[in-house]
Amino acid sequence: MTVKGRRAEYRELTRTAVLDAAAALFAAQGFTATTIDDVAGAARVSKGTVYYHFTDKAHLFEAVFRDRQRHLVEAVAAAALRHDRPWPRLTAALDAYLDGTVTDAAHRALLQQAPTALGAERCRELDEQLGLPAVQALMDDLAAAGELTVEPGPMLTRLLFSALCEAAMTAGAAPDPDEARRAAADALRAIMTGLRREPPAAHHE
């Protein structure tokens, strides 16, 4: 490996260390209470190194949020791909999403802080960038298999995605997140079942 390649690898490893440290601190003590000095200390780098990679604390939070949401989308996709048929893929994806956003306490904390750290509009933009294509793919999969009573156009997909995000936020903020997660799963399944095409009735001689 060249010197230039080693430097690039070191920068990437350093950036990852800063992201991991920031994610743990944001989850444990909150965005407002966490300082750049805290992150630098936890990552064992200088304050200047943190600022080399991130312009300010909000930029750092957004990078953490993007990174964790990207990993979540990958986990949801992996859960869906364990099934051969479209409907089990959908329910597996819903369960994996709720596990990642509600059952996972650290991710749940990041989601709850995101509107304060980034603003509601920016949160919505990031959610749509990272999650909306995955929801559209699942809906297209169901439509291609003849499982839906309606065409999964952009409006329907956005509405369903909004319901998914709201379920995660509401369940995550509940006094008992585990119980709320189960209620959210039931509600989302009920919504999707309302869009499911009934299989043709069997004909008997």
Side-chain angles (χ1 to χ4, degrees), residues 16-31 34 38-39 42-43 60-61 64 68 105-107 109-110 113:
T16 299
V18 171
L19 284 175
D20 289 344
L25 287 167
F26 289 145
Q29 61 191 39
F31 173 77
T34 298
D38 293 336
V39 175
L60 175 57
F61 187 95
V64 169
R68 271 38 183 184
H107 200 127
L110 289 175
Q113 295 171 53

Side-chain angles (χ1 to χ4, degrees), residues 53-118:
H53 291 280
F54 307 100
T55 56
D56 55 27
K57 191 168 70 168
H59 182 209
L60 175 57
F61 187 95
E62 179 170 323
V64 169
F65 186 77
R66 279 181 174 275
D67 183 66
R68 271 38 183 184
Q69 289 292 83
R70 178 176 58 81
H71 284 301
L72 173 63
V73 169
E74 290 172 355
V76 169
L81 290 175
R82 295 190 189 104
H83 301 270
D84 295 328
R85 295 183 58 79
W87 206 263
R89 277 199 290 268
L90 174 70
T91 55
L94 291 178
D95 285 339
Y97 179 81
L98 292 174
D99 286 342
T101 56
V102 180
T103 306
D104 184 328
H107 200 127
R108 184 174 73 235
L110 289 175
L111 285 179
Q112 296 298 319
Q113 295 171 53
T116 298
L118 304 175

Side-chain angles (χ1 to χ4, degrees), residues 118-156:
L118 304 175
E121 187 58 33
R122 184 57 178 157
C123 286
R124 180 180 177 183
E125 290 174 359
L126 291 173
D127 279 339
E128 291 189 353
Q129 288 174 17
L130 297 166
L132 196 59
V135 175
Q136 185 66 63
L138 287 168
M139 297 299 291
D140 289 343
D141 195 23
L142 289 168
E147 294 269 11
L148 295 178
T149 58
V150 294
E151 286 299 314
M155 177 59 74
L156 177 60

